[in-house]
Amino acid sequence: MSKTMNNIGVLTSGGDAPGMNAAIRAVVRSCSFYGVSAFGIYEGYKGMIENQITELDARSVKSILQRGGTILKSSRSPDFKTVKGRKTAYENLKKNDINGLVLIGGDGTFTGAKIFSKEFDIPVMGVPGTIDNDLFGTDYTIGFDTATNVVVECIDKIRDTAESHNRLFFVEVMGRDSGAIALRTAVASGALDVVLPEETAPLEDLFAELVKGEANQKTNKIVIVAEGNAIGSSLEIAEKVKAKFPHIESKVTILGHLQRGGPPSCADRVLASRLGVAAVEALLKGESGLMVGLINDQISYLPFAEAINGKTRLNEELLRISKVLSV
Ligand code: ADP
């Protein structure tokens, strides 16, 4: 164990995700377990620059395991992208005697972390907290399981009304660059089709699925649309479908920020707890510049650059079976 590591700071940054609180709790409680002080840095990198830093003990994080959002709050900080901003942040860490950091966030947060840990001599570990599941080096990111459960619950409700009126529903889900939420929920909710950012399938493919659905006498049709796809928004797609098939009545539901809220699922609580403990243990062993992840249910570590730049791939098996099952 490193002798000098006695004050560890923790923050949440970028897009919030259910389970971030469970990760904060795991970091603070691990510090307590190993006899190290923990400091909460509020509002992500912004709070590091503004010196919004408070010591937390094991009891400060009671009853947050089951709460969505993040008690430390999150933000996007343009100032952290500047050398001056990062220098101020470093000086504040020094003022508070913080000599280790755990950053909970997504690829933007780790891009900042990679730069910061090269510029300054403070060891940094990353914990993947984003609903998008778009980070290389971990099978799952914190928040993804909860967000997909929310989507499936909503679609179950939408299906009831779709069935009653023989309607087609376009359901838009989050995922600007990643179709992970869309694809998983398409399989879990029995969608007729799914429109993904990673695929450049033409609109005609969707038209063909709709024709097939009609021919197979499907009375309710759910099409899941990831927000970042190449064809257009769910509203634009619905317009195009209406122009082509005026007799098909369709509705659009954009789930939006519903997907970020609510109590984290059991899977996200366990994932966040495991990753939070592993991040602190790695710092205490003298590691730095790594994202902790879970691969095949085992804790793993990957340099920030690889986590950010590595290509996450669409789950080809899910894609294939989504087509098999929508027959
Ligand atoms: P996420 O971590 O969820 O991907 P963002 O992309 O908004 O969220 O990134 C979170 C924060 O990380 C940004 O507001 C910024 O402060 C920091 N960050 C992102 N990119 C850089 C960069 N190139 N240099 C320094 N900091 C960065």
Side-chain angles (χ1 to χ4, degrees), residues 13-15 45 75-77 80-81 86 105-109 111-112 115:
S13 160
Y45 291 134
S75 74
R76 296 202 153 91
S77 167
F80 198 75
K81 293 187 175 175
R86 292 192 296 274
D107 59 350
T109 299
T111 304
I115 297 168

Side-chain angles (χ1 to χ4, degrees), residues 114-315:
K114 186 183 75 150
I115 297 168
F116 187 75
S117 62
K118 285 216 172 105
E119 288 172 336
F120 303 105
D121 58 352
I122 292 195
V124 180
M125 289 295 299
V127 171
T130 162
I131 62 166
D132 294 331
N133 209 28
D134 59 350
L135 283 162
F136 192 73
T138 188
D139 291 340
Y140 295 104
T141 56
I142 297 165
F144 175 65
D145 184 67
T146 307
T148 51
N149 283 327
V150 169
V151 170
V152 169
E153 217 180 290
C154 291
I155 296 177
D156 288 348
K157 291 176 179 154
I158 288 168
R159 190 181 285 286
D160 289 345
T161 167
E163 179 70 41
S164 306
H165 292 271
N166 292 339
R167 271 180 186 146
L168 163 66
F169 264 85
F170 293 97
V171 182
E172 186 173 308
V173 301
M174 283 186 168
R176 277 192 301 253
D177 304 305
S178 164
I181 293 178
L183 183 54
R184 192 171 181 81
T185 58
V187 172
S189 66
L192 174 74
D193 203 1
V194 55
V195 186
L196 302 163
E198 292 89 343
E199 275 199 315
T200 45
L203 193 56
E204 283 67 36
D205 285 11
L206 173 60
F207 291 163
E209 284 301 323
L210 292 174
V211 169
K212 202 172 84 189
E214 294 241 300
N216 290 342
Q217 290 161 354
K218 290 206 165 202
T219 50
N220 66 69
K221 299 174 233 15
I222 307 284
V223 174
I224 301 184
V225 179
E227 60 184 345
N229 76 86
I231 304 178
S233 71
S234 52
L235 287 162
E236 287 164 344
I237 293 175
E239 281 299 314
K240 288 173 186 165
V241 167
K242 193 175 168 57
K244 176 85 177 169
F245 305 107
H247 68 285
I248 300 182
E249 197 188 347
S250 74
K251 297 279 174 196
V252 173
T253 300
I254 300 171
L255 295 180
H257 285 80
L258 264 180
Q259 294 160 88
R260 287 192 189 279
S265 66
C266 175
D268 273 330
R269 293 180 202 193
V270 173
L271 176 68
S273 300
R274 291 179 74 182
L275 299 185
V277 172
V280 170
E281 289 179 342
L283 277 179
L284 296 177
K285 279 184 196 137
E287 300 287 355
S288 179
L290 305 173
M291 182 193 85
V292 55
L294 208 65
I295 296 179
N296 294 331
D297 206 31
Q298 298 295 313
I299 294 288
S300 66
Y301 301 93
L302 199 71
F304 285 134
E306 288 177 48
I308 300 158
N309 299 323
K311 259 264 116 327
T312 49
R313 289 222 298 274
L314 215 51
N315 185 324

